[in-house]
């Protein structure tokens, strides 16, 4: 679990105090800032980049998240920091889910040998990373609380799942997500909604996951269905929904939408939030109530969900997606039970992919 959590409007202003006890003499704090903020956005009065409490030899690095994080990028960032500083006091990720994952991964790679690709899996990481903090600027993925960091490597898209992966500190400041465009906010927000449905409808469900999942679901329903206009209260609630949704899947698992959307993203590079939405749109058979409600949310928020993305693919490409998706065994087992392979056949999965 994350050791320290600060929540509240304006809490970003406490960052200097929060970091002070974690600074080591001569070793800088690295701020990994989402490249979205390089253009000077992120604050009505002062751009976010100018609010970062730099001291000594601290450094800001803009994270390129045009593509979701790759193991090669993680390795390059860690190597750059080792070459320039030897050691660092810590790394602070400020951005969407992609930057959360990059910061976690780079922190681990400062203290573990080899390539991050060698740690994609469960409990392969040997040593704790350097101090790491996460400050989300989009809400929904739950990456701020999870024990993984999803990376695309040479052979697979899989996280470094380990007890060393969670952040030491997170700062949840709803002011930071206020500027997100409605489409992006919706896609990332739906990641949270889908986490709730997959967790609450799954066979791995237990009281821990249920307690958090129900709360996150209620918050998502409030902001995406009951409210008629987006305001500060919505940002406050969506940020807590992401946290609770992440806590829910931490003790259960995701399901059909994620298993299938991983196939899309591996082959086509489809981003996580939008990929989940493309898939969820066609999952009536598995989550009838959740999908009906999802469609009401899409309509109410006037969002476009892309269609026709698989129409020009060949057999080999379908096979690749099916292989990646079928490989997500725990997700299928959570969704469909121990006999999932009898229910979700390759033919059935192919016809599902054809619908996208
Ligand atoms: N570790 C986990 O548990 C976990 C769980 C789910 C998803 N993920 C990962 O999270 C990533 C998806 O995260 P995401 O949906 O937050 O999107 P993202 O981080 O990929 O960012 C999407 C886009 O929004 C921009 N952006 C960031 N903050 C913004 C703001 N305030 N206003 C406007 N634009 C902003 C980014 O620059 C980027 O262009 C994927 O890489 C996925 O694999 C991780
Ligand atoms: Fe997700």
């Amino acid at each position: 679990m994350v050791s320290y959590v600060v929540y509240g409007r304006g809490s970003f202003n406490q960052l200097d105090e929060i970091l002070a006890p974690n600074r080591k003499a001569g070793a800088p704090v690295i701020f990994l800032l989402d490249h979205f903020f390089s253009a000077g956005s992120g604050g009505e009065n002062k751009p976010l980049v100018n609010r970062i409490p730099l001291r000594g030899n601290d450094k800001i690095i803009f994270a390129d998240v045009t593509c979701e994080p790759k193991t090669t990028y993680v390795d390059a960032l860690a190597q750059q920091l080792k070459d320039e500083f030897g050691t660092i006091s810590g790394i602070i990720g400020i951005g969407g889910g992609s930057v959360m994952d990059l910061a976690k991964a780079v922190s681990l790679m400062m203290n573990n040998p080899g390539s991050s690709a060698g740690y994609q899996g469960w409990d392969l990481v040997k040593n704790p990373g350097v101090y790491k903090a996460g400050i989300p600027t989009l809400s929904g993925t739950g990456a701020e609380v999870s024990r993984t960091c999803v990376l695309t490597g040479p052979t697979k898209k899989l996280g470094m799942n380990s007890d060393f992966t969670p952040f030491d500190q997170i700062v949840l400041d709803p002011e930071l997500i206020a500027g997100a465009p409605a489409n992006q906010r919706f896609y990332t927000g739906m990641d949270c909604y889908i986490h709730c449905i997959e967790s609450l409808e799954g066979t791995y469900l237990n009281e821990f996951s249920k307690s958090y999942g129900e709360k996150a679901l209620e918050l998502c329903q409030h902001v995406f269905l009951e409210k008629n206009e987006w305001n500060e209260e919505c940002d406050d609630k969506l940020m807590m929904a992401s946290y609770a949704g992440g806590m829910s899947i931490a003790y259960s698992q995701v399901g059909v939408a994620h298993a299938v959307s991983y196939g899309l993203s591996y082959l086509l590079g489809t981003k996580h939030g939008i990929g989940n939405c493309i898939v969820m749109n066609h999952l009536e058979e598995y989550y009838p109530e959740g999908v009906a409600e999802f469609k009401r949310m899409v309509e109410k928020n006037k969002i476009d969900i892309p269609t026709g993305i698989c129409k020009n693919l060949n057999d080999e490409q379908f096979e690749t997606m099916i292989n990646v998706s079928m490989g997500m065994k725990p997700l299928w087992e959570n969704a469909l039970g121990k006999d999932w392979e009898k229910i979700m056949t390759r033919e059935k999965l192919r016809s599902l992919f054809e619908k996208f």
Side-chain angles (χ1 to χ4, degrees), residues 98-212:
S98 294
V99 172
M100 296 296 103
D101 283 358
L102 273 175
K104 291 197 240 181
V106 173
S107 154
L108 294 174
M109 292 317 295
M110 292 304 290
N111 290 344
N112 285 278
S115 163
S116 51
Y119 301 103
Q120 286 181 283
W122 278 269
D123 303 303
L124 302 173
V125 181
K126 301 278 179 307
N127 308 311
V130 297
Y131 174 84
K132 53 186 167 337
I135 309 181
T137 64
L138 289 173
S139 286
T141 65
E144 63 277 25
V145 290
S146 74
R147 90 189 270 284
T148 188
C149 48
V150 183
L151 303 176
T152 304
T155 56
K156 51 195 163 200
K157 180 168 182 186
L158 187 61
M160 297 160 77
N161 295 261
S162 84
D163 285 345
F164 300 124
T165 310
F167 283 117
D168 297 294
Q169 166 88 52
I170 56 176
V171 177
L172 304 177
D173 180 348
E175 283 179 4
L176 300 182
I177 66 170
N183 264 329
Q184 182 65 57
R185 181 173 67 209
F186 186 83
Y187 297 141
T188 303
M190 282 302 108
D191 192 19
C192 176
Y193 177 76
I194 294 168
H195 291 161
C196 296
I197 301 298
E198 291 178 317
S199 172
L200 292 170
E201 300 292 320
T203 62
Y204 289 7
L205 190 63
N206 53 71
E207 212 50 57
F208 185 101
S209 296
K210 193 168 169 223
S211 307
Y212 282 106

Side-chain angles (χ1 to χ4, degrees), residues 141 191 195 249 254 258 272 276:
T141 65
D191 192 19
H195 291 161
I249 46 170
V254 285
H258 277 74
H272 188 74
N276 283 347

